[in-house]
Amino acid sequence: MSTRRRKAAGLLAGVALLGFGGITPANAGVTAEGQFESEIKWWTAPTESRRWSDNNDTWDYTGIYFAGCRSDDDYRGYDYASLRLWKYVSYAPDRNKGTRDNHCGWVDYGDPDDAGTYYFSLVDVGNGDYIEIDYVKVAW
C-alpha cells in the first residue's frame, strides 16, 4: 500500500477508526479476530489509544503497525516510540502485557491468551517529546 493511500485511509478513518483490509502482522493469519486503523496526532507520554475487545477467539498475535512516523526533534528525527499493551481490569490496576519499541513498523506482543478489553499507551519517545504517526493499524 503506498504512503499516499495510507495517508488517505488515515484521513478517511479519522476518529471513527474504521477497520478494513490492508497490511497484516507477519504472525497474524487472515482469520484475525479484529483490527482498526487510525492516526496519531502529536502524542506525548503518557497517552492512551482507543480500547478494543479481544474475545480470544483466535490464536493470532496482537500487533501494532506504524507508518509515516515523525517526532518534534527536527535534528535527529523519529527514532522509536515505546508502547505498552494494557488489559483493562475493573476495580483494580490494569494489567501490563508488555512494552515494545516501535521503530516505525510492526511490533508484536504475542497472543495475550486472555479475553478482555485492551489498549496501548505511549511510555517514551526516542527523540523529542512528541510523535505524529500518519498510519496506525492495530490487529488482534
Coordinates of all heavy atoms in Angstrom, one line a residue, residues 73-119:
D73 N 11.6 16.4 17.2 CA 13.1 16.7 17.1 C 13.5 16.8 15.6 O 13.7 15.8 15.0 CB 13.8 15.5 17.8 CG 15.3 15.8 18.0 OD1 15.9 16.5 17.1 OD2 15.9 15.4 19.0
D74 N 13.6 18.0 15.1 CA 13.9 18.2 13.7 C 15.3 17.8 13.4 O 15.6 17.4 12.2 CB 13.7 19.7 13.3 CG 12.3 20.1 13.4 OD1 11.4 19.2 13.2 OD2 12.0 21.3 13.6
Y75 N 16.2 17.8 14.3 CA 17.6 17.4 14.1 C 17.8 15.9 13.9 O 18.4 15.4 13.0 CB 18.5 18.0 15.1 CG 20.0 17.7 15.0 CD1 20.7 18.2 13.9 CD2 20.6 16.8 15.8 CE1 22.0 17.9 13.8 CE2 21.9 16.4 15.7 CZ 22.6 17.0 14.6 OH 23.9 16.6 14.4
R76 N 17.3 15.2 14.9 CA 17.5 13.7 15.0 C 16.4 12.9 14.3 O 16.6 11.8 13.9 CB 17.8 13.3 16.4 CG 19.1 13.8 17.0 CD 19.3 13.3 18.4 NE 18.3 14.0 19.2 CZ 18.1 13.8 20.5 NH1 18.8 12.9 21.1 NH2 17.2 14.4 21.2
G77 N 15.2 13.5 14.3 CA 14.1 12.8 13.7 C 13.5 11.7 14.6 O 13.9 11.5 15.7
Y78 N 12.5 11.0 14.0 CA 11.9 9.9 14.8 C 12.8 8.7 14.9 O 13.5 8.3 14.0 CB 10.6 9.4 14.0 CG 9.9 8.3 14.6 CD1 8.8 8.6 15.5 CD2 10.2 7.0 14.4 CE1 8.1 7.6 16.1 CE2 9.5 6.0 15.0 CZ 8.4 6.3 15.9 OH 7.7 5.3 16.5
D79 N 12.9 8.2 16.2 CA 13.8 7.0 16.4 C 12.9 5.9 16.8 O 12.9 4.8 16.2 CB 14.8 7.3 17.5 CG 15.7 6.2 17.8 OD1 15.9 5.4 16.9 OD2 16.3 6.2 18.9
Y80 N 12.1 6.0 17.9 CA 11.2 4.9 18.3 C 10.1 5.5 19.2 O 10.3 6.6 19.8 CB 11.9 3.8 19.0 CG 12.5 4.2 20.3 CD1 11.8 4.1 21.5 CD2 13.8 4.6 20.4 CE1 12.3 4.5 22.7 CE2 14.4 5.0 21.7 CZ 13.6 4.9 22.8 OH 14.1 5.3 24.0
A81 N 9.1 4.8 19.4 CA 8.1 5.1 20.4 C 7.9 3.8 21.3 O 7.7 2.7 20.7 CB 6.7 5.4 19.8
S82 N 8.1 3.9 22.6 CA 7.9 2.8 23.5 C 6.4 2.7 23.8 O 5.8 3.6 24.3 CB 8.6 2.9 24.8 OG 10.0 2.7 24.6
L83 N 5.8 1.5 23.4 CA 4.4 1.3 23.6 C 4.1 0.1 24.5 O 4.7 -0.9 24.4 CB 3.8 0.9 22.2 CG 4.0 1.9 21.1 CD1 3.4 1.3 19.8 CD2 3.4 3.2 21.4
R84 N 3.3 0.4 25.5 CA 2.9 -0.6 26.5 C 1.5 -1.1 26.2 O 0.6 -0.3 26.1 CB 3.0 -0.1 27.9 CG 2.8 -1.1 29.0 CD 3.3 -0.7 30.3 NE 4.7 -0.5 30.3 CZ 5.3 0.4 31.0 NH1 4.7 1.3 31.8 NH2 6.7 0.5 30.9
L85 N 1.3 -2.4 26.1 CA 0.0 -3.0 26.0 C -0.6 -3.3 27.3 O 0.0 -3.8 28.2 CB 0.1 -4.3 25.2 CG -1.2 -5.0 24.9 CD1 -2.1 -4.2 23.9 CD2 -1.0 -6.4 24.3
W86 N -1.9 -2.8 27.5 CA -2.6 -3.0 28.8 C -3.9 -3.8 28.6 O -4.5 -3.6 27.6 CB -2.9 -1.6 29.4 CG -1.8 -0.8 29.7 CD1 -1.2 0.2 29.0 CD2 -1.1 -0.8 31.0 NE1 -0.2 0.8 29.7 CE2 -0.1 0.2 30.9 CE3 -1.3 -1.5 32.2 CZ2 0.7 0.5 32.0 CZ3 -0.4 -1.3 33.2 CH2 0.6 -0.3 33.1
K87 N -4.2 -4.5 29.6 CA -5.5 -5.1 29.7 C -6.3 -4.4 30.8 O -5.8 -4.3 31.9 CB -5.5 -6.6 30.0 CG -6.9 -7.2 30.1 CD -6.9 -8.7 30.5 CE -8.3 -9.2 30.6 NZ -8.4 -10.4 31.4
Y88 N -7.5 -3.9 30.4 CA -8.3 -3.2 31.4 C -8.8 -4.2 32.4 O -9.3 -5.2 32.1 CB -9.4 -2.5 30.7 CG -10.5 -2.0 31.6 CD1 -10.3 -0.8 32.4 CD2 -11.7 -2.6 31.8 CE1 -11.2 -0.3 33.2 CE2 -12.7 -2.2 32.7 CZ -12.4 -1.0 33.4 OH -13.4 -0.5 34.2
V89 N -8.7 -3.8 33.7 CA -9.3 -4.6 34.8 C -10.2 -3.7 35.6 O -9.7 -2.6 36.2 CB -8.1 -5.1 35.7 CG1 -8.7 -5.9 36.9 CG2 -7.1 -6.0 34.9
S90 N -11.4 -4.0 35.8 CA -12.4 -3.3 36.5 C -12.1 -3.3 38.0 O -11.8 -4.4 38.5 CB -13.8 -3.8 36.2 OG -14.8 -3.1 36.9
Y91 N -12.1 -2.1 38.6 CA -11.9 -2.0 40.1 C -10.5 -2.5 40.6 O -10.4 -3.0 41.7 CB -13.0 -2.7 40.9 CG -14.4 -2.1 40.5 CD1 -15.3 -2.9 39.8 CD2 -14.7 -0.8 40.8 CE1 -16.5 -2.3 39.4 CE2 -15.9 -0.3 40.5 CZ -16.8 -1.1 39.8 OH -18.0 -0.5 39.4
A92 N -9.5 -2.5 39.7 CA -8.2 -2.9 40.1 C -7.2 -2.3 39.1 O -7.6 -1.8 38.1 CB -8.0 -4.4 40.1
P93 N -5.9 -2.3 39.4 CA -5.0 -1.7 38.4 C -5.0 -2.5 37.1 O -5.2 -3.8 37.2 CB -3.6 -1.9 39.1 CG -3.9 -2.0 40.6 CD -5.3 -2.7 40.6
D94 N -4.9 -1.9 36.0 CA -4.9 -2.5 34.7 C -3.6 -3.4 34.6 O -2.6 -3.1 35.3 CB -4.9 -1.5 33.6 CG -6.2 -0.8 33.5 OD1 -7.2 -1.3 34.1 OD2 -6.3 0.2 32.7
R95 N -3.7 -4.5 33.8 CA -2.6 -5.5 33.8 C -1.7 -5.1 32.6 O -2.1 -5.0 31.5 CB -3.2 -6.9 33.6 CG -2.2 -8.0 33.9 CD -2.9 -9.3 34.0 NE -4.1 -9.3 34.9 CZ -5.2 -9.9 34.6 NH1 -5.3 -10.6 33.5 NH2 -6.2 -9.8 35.4
N96 N -0.4 -5.0 32.9 CA 0.7 -4.7 31.9 C 0.9 -6.0 31.2 O 1.3 -7.0 31.7 CB 1.9 -4.2 32.7 CG 3.1 -3.9 31.7 OD1 3.1 -4.2 30.6 ND2 4.1 -3.3 32.3
K97 N 0.8 -5.9 29.8 CA 1.1 -7.1 29.0 C 2.4 -7.0 28.2 O 2.6 -7.8 27.3 CB -0.1 -7.3 28.0 CG -1.4 -7.7 28.7 CD -1.3 -9.0 29.3 CE -2.6 -9.7 29.4 NZ -2.4 -11.1 29.8
G98 N 3.2 -6.0 28.5 CA 4.5 -5.9 27.9 C 4.7 -4.6 27.2 O 3.8 -3.9 26.8
T99 N 6.0 -4.2 27.0 CA 6.4 -2.9 26.4 C 7.3 -3.3 25.2 O 8.2 -4.1 25.3 CB 7.1 -2.0 27.4 OG1 6.3 -1.8 28.5 CG2 7.5 -0.7 26.7
R100 N 7.0 -2.7 24.1 CA 7.8 -2.9 22.9 C 8.2 -1.5 22.3 O 7.4 -0.6 22.4 CB 7.1 -3.7 21.8 CG 6.5 -5.0 22.2 CD 7.6 -6.1 22.4 NE 7.0 -7.4 22.6 CZ 6.7 -7.8 23.8 NH1 6.9 -7.1 24.9 NH2 6.2 -9.0 23.9
D101 N 9.3 -1.4 21.7 CA 9.7 -0.2 20.9 C 9.3 -0.3 19.5 O 9.7 -1.2 18.8 CB 11.2 0.1 21.0 CG 11.7 0.5 22.4 OD1 10.8 0.9 23.2 OD2 12.9 0.4 22.7
N102 N 8.5 0.7 19.0 CA 8.1 0.7 17.6 C 9.0 1.6 16.9 O 9.0 2.8 17.1 CB 6.6 1.1 17.5 CG 6.1 0.9 16.1 OD1 6.8 1.2 15.1 ND2 4.9 0.3 16.0
H103 N 9.8 1.1 15.9 CA 10.8 1.9 15.1 C 10.1 2.3 13.8 O 10.9 2.3 12.8 CB 12.1 1.1 14.9 CG 12.8 0.9 16.2 ND1 13.7 1.9 16.7 CD2 12.8 -0.1 17.1 CE1 14.2 1.4 17.9 NE2 13.7 0.2 18.1
C104 N 8.8 2.5 13.7 CA 8.1 2.8 12.5 C 7.9 1.5 11.7 O 8.3 1.4 10.6 CB 8.7 3.9 11.7 SG 7.4 4.8 10.7
G105 N 7.2 0.5 12.2 CA 6.9 -0.7 11.6 C 6.0 -1.5 12.5 O 5.3 -1.0 13.3
W106 N 6.2 -2.9 12.5 CA 5.3 -3.7 13.3 C 6.0 -4.0 14.6 O 7.2 -4.2 14.7 CB 5.1 -5.1 12.6 CG 4.0 -5.1 11.7 CD1 4.0 -5.2 10.4 CD2 2.6 -5.1 12.1 NE1 2.8 -5.2 9.8 CE2 1.9 -5.1 10.9 CE3 1.9 -4.9 13.3 CZ2 0.5 -5.1 10.8 CZ3 0.5 -4.9 13.2 CH2 -0.2 -4.9 12.0
V107 N 5.2 -4.1 15.7 CA 5.7 -4.7 17.0 C 4.6 -5.7 17.3 O 3.4 -5.5 17.2 CB 5.9 -3.7 18.1 CG1 7.1 -2.8 17.8 CG2 4.6 -2.8 18.4
D108 N 5.0 -6.9 17.7 CA 4.1 -8.0 18.1 C 4.2 -8.2 19.6 O 5.3 -8.2 20.2 CB 4.5 -9.3 17.4 CG 4.1 -9.2 16.0 OD1 3.0 -8.6 15.7 OD2 4.8 -9.7 15.1
Y109 N 3.1 -8.4 20.3 CA 3.0 -8.7 21.7 C 2.7 -10.2 21.9 O 2.5 -10.6 23.1 CB 2.0 -7.8 22.4 CG 2.4 -6.4 22.4 CD1 2.1 -5.6 21.3 CD2 3.0 -5.9 23.5 CE1 2.5 -4.3 21.3 CE2 3.4 -4.5 23.5 CZ 3.2 -3.7 22.4 OH 3.5 -2.4 22.4
G110 N 2.7 -11.0 20.9 CA 2.4 -12.4 21.1 C 0.9 -12.5 21.3 O 0.1 -11.6 21.1
D111 N 0.4 -13.7 21.6 CA -1.0 -13.9 21.9 C -1.3 -13.7 23.3 O -0.8 -14.5 24.2 CB -1.4 -15.4 21.5 CG -2.9 -15.7 21.7 OD1 -3.6 -14.8 22.1 OD2 -3.2 -16.8 21.6
P112 N -2.0 -12.6 23.7 CA -2.2 -12.4 25.2 C -2.9 -13.6 25.8 O -2.9 -13.7 27.0 CB -3.1 -11.1 25.2 CG -2.8 -10.4 23.9 CD -2.5 -11.5 22.9
D113 N -3.7 -14.4 25.0 CA -4.3 -15.6 25.6 C -5.2 -15.3 26.8 O -5.2 -16.0 27.7 CB -3.3 -16.7 25.9 CG -4.0 -18.1 26.0 OD1 -5.0 -18.3 25.3 OD2 -3.5 -18.9 26.8
D114 N -5.9 -14.1 26.7 CA -6.7 -13.6 27.8 C -7.7 -12.7 27.2 O -7.4 -11.6 26.8 CB -5.7 -12.8 28.7 CG -6.3 -12.6 30.1 OD1 -7.4 -13.1 30.4 OD2 -5.6 -11.8 30.8
A115 N -9.0 -13.1 27.2 CA -10.1 -12.3 26.7 C -10.2 -11.0 27.6 O -10.0 -11.1 28.8 CB -11.4 -13.1 26.7
G116 N -10.6 -9.9 27.0 CA -10.8 -8.7 27.7 C -10.7 -7.5 26.8 O -10.6 -7.5 25.6
T117 N -10.7 -6.3 27.5 CA -10.6 -5.0 26.9 C -9.1 -4.6 26.9 O -8.5 -4.6 28.0 CB -11.5 -4.0 27.5 OG1 -12.8 -4.5 27.4 CG2 -11.4 -2.6 26.9
Y118 N -8.6 -4.2 25.8 CA -7.1 -3.8 25.7 C -7.0 -2.4 25.2 O -7.9 -1.8 24.5 CB -6.4 -4.8 24.8 CG -6.2 -6.1 25.4 CD1 -7.2 -7.1 25.3 CD2 -5.0 -6.4 26.0 CE1 -7.0 -8.3 25.8 CE2 -4.9 -7.7 26.6 CZ -5.9 -8.6 26.5 OH -5.7 -9.9 27.0
Y119 N -5.8 -1.8 25.4 CA -5.4 -0.5 24.9 C -3.9 -0.5 25.0 O -3.2 -1.3 25.6 CB -6.0 0.7 25.6 CG -5.7 0.8 27.0 CD1 -4.6 1.6 27.4 CD2 -6.3 0.1 28.0 CE1 -4.3 1.8 28.8 CE2 -6.0 0.2 29.4 CZ -5.0 1.1 29.7 OH -4.7 1.2 31.0

